[in-house]
Amino acid sequence: MIALAVSSLCKSFGGLRVTVDVNLNIAPGERRLIIGPNGAGKTTLFNLITGEIAPDSGSVALFGRDITRMPSRKRTHLGMARTYQIITLFAQDTIAHNVTLALLGLSPLRWNPLTPLDRQHHLAAQGRQALERVGLAHIAARPLAQTSYGERRRVEIAMALAQNPKVLLLDEPFAGLSIDERQDVRKLLNAIPRDVTIVMIEHDMDTALDLADRITLLHFGEVIVEGTRAEVVADPRTREVYLGE
Amino acid sequence: MSSLAAGPTKTALSGAAVGRGVAIIVAVLALVAVPYVIGQLYYVNIASQVLLYAVFALGINVLVGYAGLVSLGHAGLFGIAAYIDAYLLSAGYGHTVAILAALVGALAATAVFAALSLRATGISFIMITLALGEIIWGLAYRWISITGGDNGISVSTRPAPFGIALDSPQAFYEATLVIFLMSIATVAIFVRSPFGAALCGTRDQPRRMNALGYHVWMIRFGACLFSGLLTAVAGILFVYYNEFISPQALALTASAEGLLMVISGGAGTLLGPVIGAALVVIVKNVVSAYITRWNFMLGAIFVAIVVFMPEGLVPGLVRLTRSAWSATGRRRTAPVPAGTQR
Amino acid sequence: MTFWLLLTVNSVTFGGLLFLLSAGFSLIFGLMRIPNLTHGSMFMVGAYLGTTLLSGALGFTLNFWVAAVIAALEVAILGALMERLLLRRLAGQQLAQVLVTLGVSFMVADLCLMGWGGDPISVATPPHLNGFIRFAGAAFPLYRMAVILIAVVFAIALWLMLERTRLGAMIRAGVDDPQMARVVGIRVSQLFTIVFALGAGLAGFAGVIGGPILSVYPGLDQDMLPLALVVVILGGTGSLLGSFVGSIVIGFLYNFGQALLPELAYFILFLPMVLVLVLRPQGLFGGQIL
């Protein structure tokens, strides 16, 4: 069973074709890297996969189930989680609360207007676990506004992992991070078990190369090259796309 | 509010919780004692007004402060409840029927308002709620056969819950106080609940909330219903307070005053709307005694607050006391003008 | 038959007035992304200023049209001042700007009350337009035909301005994509002042020429603002054509509604707006409010 299948996906904005007949077949547990120069349509592709924008044609399937017409939140419930290029977390709240919100999103508890949230100890425990995975449990009570960019990136990943996703979509997780912070995040990503399929967008090939099993190269919305790490690196078209800029 | 902090677990009897509990009891007792401490009936009436408008402001704050949706049409919902109650009473029905019908009717109207207004967020939400409020005002004004138009509808009696007559200002005040306390308790529970946290989440990062699995529209719709309920309660209190309802209570100025109560006190806080209501009611009553230009003052205060003190009084004062005590704490308030788009 | 004809003419006239009012509102909304809640006030202030200018109280009598233009200019200046002193301080904070316009509208309403009193002031039709045109056995007030003509002239002029002038191009760019406009070098904040003043001036002008039809009274602002709102929601923001069509539609609904179902007039008026919101939130002619 294919974890994430994208078939003939197309999207245009006005006259601009941003996604042109994209096909992806990502196996369960695979680490897929999507690369391409700026403007290649990588984030748009993610938005189409998660349902934030609707495609003009084509389909998206999650573990065999057609989710093309499904609203984003339902896809999350089916096991899709994602991070964003620009970190949009809840800056006025603590790290712990941010994670709690992620946990709550999949819980029927989120409709409860009566019981106090801070008495939900099982949520608290799960949140603590999620933060331990990313090494931030010691500052759980810190307001997000007082954390570093690298810490926020890790909070975001903690939130995504807290939802026990089957498919994790990471949009440029290394963007804006210092060398040390990149190491932290790389260790984190490496530690994610293989029951989570990871699809990652990265602009900078070097950073993410060793995390990837297979690589898809996008340019102007089209898949140009796809294959294993070695294949893509060796392919002359890859150099063209990057050097042609 | 989550108890994930590494360190000693907080017990229910921690110092802060006890302190807060004592303060609440003292405040409630003080409020109960008001009509006996203040001799003049005029001021007892003003106190009743403050309380009923506090409920109104609490209702508006559910949307403005916690949902991040600014409405300029709440006087319409307020008025629908008031008019239904008054109309049924004048048609010969009893108080129970009238009040229940008013609540149900206002909730139904809220559902319709919400379904229409939630087609948009941000500025457009304001515009649509403004337009809807104007429709209701226009109906109240023109549909003379039902609403009496400018003449309004008079209400001759007040309800007598458990046989206690509410005709005297003191009795009415105490009854209003009970309802106010119930309302603020409800809001406090709501805010601390998972749904409340979700609502605040949709205010701050609606796109993220959607991606996290929340049904943003439905959450907002639920908040609208809660807001409408509180507003309806305030409308019913209003019609019994004045023993009269007229289109004036539904005008845009009434919605603006309600909004002013929320933003002057501090949106997104529990006590902000209450303090704001007290401020607006007292200033309005005091000023009206000397100047007949309340509208000008309302407008000027609005402009002044938005330009100079956008977060309102309560967060401002909280900030000052916090810095005075040199304690760090997590704010759970939302500054009004910024960040409520989209 | 005559009744219907007259009602139709009145509807078109009112639609013309509404167009002058809402064109400015629509442009301001499209460009600055805020519903200008002082727009009704600008209409009213213009009307009141017009009555003063026409009353001869200043020691000289003015031609009706001259007075209208002067009043419009005065209101335009007021608009420009408000934009520069208040709105610009809150640049980027649309919600705050809307609340400020709300506050200012209340202040203006009371100032007008203080300045001109609480009694309605009727405005005489300009003497040379006092007559009637006879057509199809009915007599149509000449003044109302003139208002229709003026509205059409302004519509064309505005359209030409938007399509053919540099200013118009900048406005259109700003409406389409303000960030892009800034990047391309358009002085957006200056543009805001100009458009705000233009909108205010148009509203003020409409107030004066509406005087003989509506008269001037406290609460005129509260009567006109929701109409501008509905026109723009119906016709889409930033769209001149939308304002034009929306104004005519509302003009008809308002007049026919008043005549046939006075009690539900407001409801009839807002019903299409509700329908548009449900079916096509961006208005009949696009625009990006929602």
Side-chain angles (χ1 to χ4, degrees), chain B residues 28-112:
Chain B
V28 170
L29 288 175
L31 284 172
V32 170
V34 158
Y36 306 103
V37 169
I38 302 177
Q40 288 165 284
L41 295 180
Y42 173 73
Y43 292 113
V44 175
N45 276 330
I46 293 204
S48 292
Q49 267 192 59
V50 168
L51 289 179
L52 82 87
Y53 278 113
V55 176
F56 183 46
L58 282 169
I60 296 180
N61 192 35
V62 168
L63 284 189
V64 174
Y66 300 118
L69 298 168
V70 178
S71 158
L72 275 176
H74 262 68
L77 296 169
F78 183 87
I80 287 179
Y83 265 103
I84 292 180
D85 184 84
Y87 180 75
L88 288 176
L89 284 176
S90 65
Y93 292 91
H95 288 288
T96 321
V97 171
I99 292 177
L100 279 174
L103 288 173
V104 169
L107 267 179
T110 306
V112 173

Side-chain angles (χ1 to χ4, degrees), chain B residues 70 116 119-120 123-124 126-128 130 134-135 138 142-145 253 256 259 293 295-296 299 306 336-337 340, chain C residues 29 35 37 93 95-96 98-99 103 106-107 110 113-114 226 229 233 258 263 266 270 273 277-278 281 289-290:
Chain B
V70 178
L116 289 171
R119 303 283 286 164
I123 295 299
S124 306
I126 299 179
M127 271 188 30
I128 298 171
L130 196 163
E134 292 288 88
I135 297 184
R142 304 283 176 95
W143 206 353
I144 301 183
S145 52
T253 35
L259 186 60
R293 296 290 157 245
N295 269 358
F296 184 86
V306 169
V336 159
T340 52
Chain C
F29 201 144
L37 299 181
Q93 302 175 54
L95 176 57
V98 174
L99 294 181
F106 292 151
M107 291 167 72
D110 255 3
L113 199 54
M114 286 195 263
L229 261 173
I233 291 178
Q258 295 269 50
E263 291 200 329
Y266 247 64
F270 283 87
M273 178 197 89
L277 279 175
V278 169
I289 30 163
L290 300 180

Side-chain angles (χ1 to χ4, degrees), chain A residues 211-224:
Chain A
L211 286 169
D213 299 333
R214 294 181 67 78
I215 302 180
T216 302
L217 171 64
L218 275 188
H219 192 44
F220 289 138
E222 279 187 84
V223 175
I224 307 291

Side-chain angles (χ1 to χ4, degrees), chain C:
Chain C
M1 185 56 197
T2 343
F3 173 72
W4 297 111
L5 265 179
L6 275 173
L7 204 52
T8 305
V9 170
N10 286 346
S11 301
V12 180
T13 309
F14 194 61
L17 266 183
L18 277 184
F19 172 74
L20 288 171
L21 177 69
S22 35
F25 188 84
S26 182
L27 281 178
I28 292 174
F29 201 144
L31 187 64
M32 299 172 69
R33 304 275 191 269
I34 58 167
N36 173 25
L37 299 181
T38 61
H39 221 72
S41 318
M42 300 287 117
F43 183 90
M44 185 168 75
V45 169
Y48 272 123
L49 285 172
T51 62
T52 302
L53 289 168
L54 289 169
S55 66
L58 299 173
F60 46 85
T61 47
L62 278 174
N63 175 278
F64 182 84
W65 306 106
V66 174
V69 170
I70 295 179
L73 284 173
E74 291 176 327
V75 177
I77 292 174
L78 281 173
L81 280 174
M82 181 168 88
E83 198 280 327
R84 292 225 61 193
L85 296 177
L86 288 174
L87 296 181
R88 200 180 286 199
R89 287 185 67 128
L90 301 167
Q93 302 175 54
Q94 276 117 4
L95 176 57
Q97 290 176 326
V98 174
L99 294 181
V100 161
T101 60
L102 183 66
V104 170
S105 78
F106 292 151
M107 291 167 72
V108 168
D110 255 3
L111 285 172
C112 286
L113 199 54
M114 286 195 263
W116 284 278
D119 294 317
I121 303 177
S122 53
V123 180
T125 328
H128 45 283
L129 286 173
N130 233 335
F132 294 82
I133 291 186
R134 293 186 194 281
F135 177 74
F140 299 102
L142 206 51
Y143 185 68
R144 299 203 179 217
M145 312 304 287
V147 170
I148 297 176
L149 189 62
I150 292 171
V152 170
V153 166
F154 266 91
I156 297 176
L158 278 173
W159 182 82
L160 282 173
M161 188 269 286
L162 282 178
E163 292 292 316
R164 296 289 156 87
T165 67
R166 217 180 111 89
L167 175 66
M170 292 200 285
I171 294 175
R172 276 184 296 124
V175 168
D176 278 340
D177 194 337
Q179 275 152 330
M180 205 42 166
R182 270 199 192 90
V183 165
V184 169
I186 295 178
R187 302 261 290 281
V188 177
S189 54
Q190 223 178 41
L191 206 56
F192 281 7
T193 313
I194 294 175
V195 170
F196 203 86
L198 177 66
L202 274 172
F205 182 76
V208 179
I209 67 171
I213 302 174
L214 302 170
S215 65
V216 193
Y217 52 93
L220 182 59
D221 56 339
Q222 303 264 33
D223 282 345
M224 298 311 284
L225 178 64
L227 295 175
L229 261 173
V230 175
V231 167
V232 162
I233 291 178
L234 203 56
T237 57
S239 162
L240 209 58
L241 182 61
S243 298
F244 196 75
V245 172
S247 302
I248 304 292
V249 171
I250 296 300
F252 269 88
L253 282 175
Y254 191 73
N255 281 282
F256 276 78
Q258 295 269 50
L260 302 173
L261 286 167
E263 291 200 329
L264 296 176
Y266 247 64
F267 192 71
I268 296 175
L269 200 57
F270 283 87
L271 196 59
M273 178 197 89
V274 167
L275 284 173
V276 165
L277 279 175
V278 169
L279 299 171
R280 215 184 127 86
Q282 68 272 42
L284 294 173
F285 291 91
Q288 325 86 317
I289 30 163
L290 300 180

